[in-house]
Amino acid sequence: MSALPAEIIRKKRDGDRLTPAELKSFIAAYLDGGVADYQMSAFLMAVYFRGMDEEETAAFTDVMLNSGSVVDLSAVPGIKVDKHSTGGVGDKVSLILAPIVAACGVPVPMISGRGLGHTGGTLDKLESITGFRTNLSLKEYKEVLAATGCVMIGQTAEIAPADKKMYALRDVTGTVESIPLIAGSIMSKKLAEGIDALVLDVKTGRGAFMASRERSRELAQTLIRVGKRFGKTTTALITDMSQPLGHAVGNWVEVAESFDCLRGKEVPDLMEVTYALSALMLRSGGKAVTIAEGINRSKDAVQSGRALAKFREVVGRQGGNVEFIDHPHTYPVCKHIIHVKSPANGFVGECDALAIGFASILIGAGRATTDDAIDPKAGIMLLKKCGDRVAKDETLATILTDRAETAADAQERVARAYTIAPDAPKPVNLIHEMIDEHGVHEW
Amino acid sequence: MSALPAEIIRKKRDGDRLTPAELKSFIAAYLDGGVADYQMSAFLMAVYFRGMDEEETAAFTDVMLNSGSVVDLSAVPGIKVDKHSTGGVGDKVSLILAPIVAACGVPVPMISGRGLGHTGGTLDKLESITGFRTNLSLKEYKEVLAATGCVMIGQTAEIAPADKKMYALRDVTGTVESIPLIAGSIMSKKLAEGIDALVLDVKTGRGAFMASRERSRELAQTLIRVGKRFGKTTTALITDMSQPLGHAVGNWVEVAESFDCLRGKEVPDLMEVTYALSALMLRSGGKAVTIAEGINRSKDAVQSGRALAKFREVVGRQGGNVEFIDHPHTYPVCKHIIHVKSPANGFVGECDALAIGFASILIGAGRATTDDAIDPKAGIMLLKKCGDRVAKDETLATILTDRAETAADAQERVARAYTIAPDAPKPVNLIHEMIDEHGVHEW
């Protein structure tokens, strides 16, 4: 490249705009070894402080996207739509949503990630289904999608390798929490999947990576602008992640809760978010005109059993043991079951998603470092959630773990995650707003 | 260390203070390989944006200082005083100053650097004296100092190796221009020399690394605070570097100009700065009570020939050919001598130090990259300086080089460095202010 790496770094450091050509040559040189890791990390830190404008973010996404294969799904009929969540606790929405949307006739090619920090990952949850293969080749990925209308895998070596290399670097250099870097990382992977449209679940609140509403909205708007530049309709919901979604936090326990929901169980917060997102996906996929229509079609897919049948079909296609779907109680159980009791009569005022997320790492349901193994059966069952009336000594939550040594610590963390108030708390708005390329809309 | 490297980086990134223990463990881990280059460079960029407070800067300096040997000069009688310049063009002050101060009875243990960017380096200049050894061992360093009262060497492997490693990283990651990092780098090396007191020449103006007065003052104050914490009296002058100092820019030509000054030649700007700094050194070294007294003693050392004799003695002790001191005209000369003429009648309004510095790199007197060899005899002689009256076609400057291919470019750069005005410019204040631990003082 013409400019020296240090000159590009200084330019960004000093707040000047980088041209698409400069960004492309810098990142291309990084992949070739002409820019060292230590130069890239200094650059990423400069981006953390200076940001990137729309054109820079698009160029950055484009280089990462084109560092690998861009899957061609044109042979699969229909408008392919995926969903991406910025990460939450108890967020098993993808597991319920993908079969619903596919059952309604919109193909869902889904490439998911693993748990990150205190949040869970769809990939880890799917792998708790014995035999389920998330490491399909791109050829198998296309075949499963064509056959079932739904496929759920992990990032392959062919998908955005530049993002993979840079993400690993960001993780250890304190440069994760930057909106343009997050946007480039998410969008390069999603665009590489071969989608036509994307629906985003941008979490906000204590259990989200972006705790503030303003930053969550900024991230959503950045993702939507990048999507638009690449010709993909992108729509976002800003949803609350102050308490975990649903009752189960872990891997197998979340899969089991997803089956229950697909069987028609009413888990209000979880299904409100799921139906909202599936309605947007059906609208983007041309199978619903209004959001209300999308929600009705989604509910019908659940009530008719079509969504559960679709999930069963996908699990079978990807090598998973469907016996566990039909008979979840045959799954192995944890050695230790610890109850967390309410210290008082009253109402649950808070159930802190961040604290529950960290407790779930302790008991083996998440990773403290990327090399850690996950115990798929470990989890936390939240019997009581915000607004629920509780009596003193009534069980608030149950911890399932094989790790006796962490039980007391986890129990204390879960206990402290709850606050019990004398009066019922004001209900929290679960879906804050919808954002698309036209602007911000009330939900 | 207890905190993960990424946690330390994030803490600095988020603007939190690092404890001395955190800084020490982070840098110690860097030297041990527990913190990777890519983590250090992200950290350095975070420091660039967030700065360091006084305690952090002191801890940072302390780790770098103690990463190597701290020379014990207690066997050498007297208060040992050194001078450090932040770097300029034509800045041969050290070559004149050190013999003057040593001739007045204050021992000067001087560890200097090479040219950096557009600025020259004392080490490169000394090495233009055939045979002069700048790579003495610390044992020889002490012996020459004890014998002559003056020694001039380069940074050895034992002196602040952490600084050496980090400086190389900063150079290629756009993290040089940070006041706490500059302060830590300068002070760790100077404190390791075994000095008792330090005098700083902090340059300001277009030819300086800190172009603004405010930033130069901030750097000086930071250096003084660090010095005080380590029990070393530190005094600074803020001096102008908008035009080069003296008439010669290069290596041998600057040494020859230094001999001339030690022989009593009047080069007003150069000697004004030299005498001011030497007076401060004599005051710190207990050989003058007032600055006026220090200046008088310094002038006397020159006029009596004692300073020249001292320089001759040091050159001889360090292996240099003293013939060249006695007969400078026997030194090899360049193949090409190019004159830059005045385009008009008038006065020299500007003689841009930055442009002259870059021209000197082109002709072989400086380095474009750290591996470049220097031509010791190449240089630029500035016959006219700011305020001088000139006639059309009168020679402003003469370029001495062996590189015929760069002559035209250098000639144009030097010509453009000069502006010729119809009226005499307002005289520039050469010494802006003096700063010590008590505050900022008019000079």
Side-chain angles (χ1 to χ4, degrees), chain A residues 41-310:
Chain A
S41 64
F43 173 81
L44 294 168
M45 187 59 85
V47 171
Y48 177 88
F49 281 99
R50 293 296 192 178
M52 281 185 178
D53 72 10
E54 187 181 333
E55 207 173 332
E56 288 175 297
T57 308
F60 177 67
T61 306
D62 189 53
V63 193
M64 297 213 290
L65 169 62
N66 288 302
S67 68
S69 306
V70 180
V71 182
D72 178 4
L73 293 179
S74 58
V76 180
I79 300 168
K80 275 73 67 179
V81 188
D82 190 12
K83 183 218 75 160
H84 178 82
S85 159
T86 60
V89 180
D91 179 8
K92 69 280 292 173
V93 168
S94 288
L95 303 179
I96 312 169
L97 176 76
I100 290 174
V101 173
C104 293
V106 174
V108 182
M110 190 174 268
I111 299 187
S112 302
R114 300 203 176 273
L116 191 64
H118 64 282
T119 68
T122 298
L123 223 52
D124 296 321
K125 293 170 196 173
L126 286 169
E127 288 178 0
S128 75
I129 305 171
T130 316
F132 194 98
R133 287 179 56 219
T134 57
N135 61 344
L136 303 189
S137 68
L138 289 183
K139 184 167 168 287
E140 291 172 306
Y141 165 80
K142 287 194 215 183
E143 286 166 0
V144 175
L145 181 67
T148 70
C150 181
V151 63
M152 301 169 104
I153 67 166
Q155 190 178 355
T156 72
E158 300 103 310
I159 297 286
D163 170 65
K164 211 163 189 173
K165 189 174 175 186
M166 285 173 64
Y167 198 89
L169 189 63
R170 286 166 59 202
D171 196 34
V172 293
T173 56
T175 51
V176 168
E177 300 87 347
S178 154
I179 284 178
L181 298 180
I182 293 172
S185 176
I186 291 173
M187 294 306 285
S188 63
K189 281 178 289 197
K190 290 291 154 185
L191 294 167
E193 289 175 354
I195 52 167
D196 301 304
L198 180 64
V199 172
L200 298 163
D201 182 6
V202 178
K203 303 289 191 189
T204 190
R206 267 187 67 74
F209 285 108
M210 298 281 158
S212 83
R213 280 282 292 285
E214 293 66 31
R215 292 272 292 165
S216 299
R217 185 188 279 183
E218 193 188 336
L219 174 59
Q221 288 170 328
T222 302
L223 290 162
I224 288 163
R225 277 196 297 266
V226 174
K228 190 181 179 194
R229 278 195 166 243
F230 286 86
K232 313 294 178 187
T233 309
T234 306
T235 319
L237 292 182
I238 307 286
T239 71
D240 180 68
M241 186 36 70
S242 52
Q243 73 169 339
L245 268 183
H247 296 290
V249 176
N251 293 283
W252 168 253
V253 292
E254 293 198 33
V255 174
E257 184 171 36
S258 302
F259 298 157
D260 287 346
C261 290
L262 286 170
R263 281 194 185 87
K265 185 179 175 186
E266 270 304 322
V267 180
D269 61 344
L270 175 58
M271 292 313 289
E272 183 183 342
V273 173
T274 302
Y275 284 135
L277 291 165
S278 77
L280 292 178
M281 289 175 78
L282 292 183
R283 207 176 57 156
S284 292
K287 297 293 181 186
V289 175
T290 65
I291 289 165
E293 191 187 1
I295 291 177
N296 285 337
R297 281 179 189 265
S298 301
K299 287 186 173 173
D300 185 59
V302 173
Q303 283 153 14
S304 66
R306 284 183 292 121
L308 179 64
K310 182 58 71 184

Side-chain angles (χ1 to χ4, degrees), chain B residues 167-187:
Chain B
Y167 198 90
L169 189 63
R170 285 167 59 203
D171 197 33
V172 292
T173 57
T175 50
V176 168
E177 301 87 346
S178 155
I179 284 178
L181 298 180
I182 293 172
S185 176
I186 291 174
M187 294 306 285

Side-chain angles (χ1 to χ4, degrees), chain A residues 5-6 9-10 12-14 37-39 41-43 45-46 48-50 169 171-177, chain B residues 5-6 9-10 12-14 37-43 45-46 48-50 169 171-177:
Chain A
I9 299 169
R10 275 201 299 269
K12 174 46 71 184
R13 183 198 74 183
D14 294 343
D37 277 339
Y38 53 78
Q39 292 175 313
S41 64
F43 173 81
M45 187 59 85
Y48 177 88
F49 281 99
R50 293 296 192 178
L169 189 63
D171 196 34
V172 293
T173 56
T175 51
V176 168
E177 300 87 347
Chain B
I9 299 169
R10 275 200 299 270
K12 175 47 71 185
R13 182 198 75 185
D14 294 343
D37 277 338
Y38 52 77
Q39 292 175 313
M40 181 53 82
S41 64
F43 173 80
M45 187 60 85
Y48 177 89
F49 281 99
R50 293 296 193 178
L169 189 63
D171 197 33
V172 292
T173 57
T175 50
V176 168
E177 301 87 346

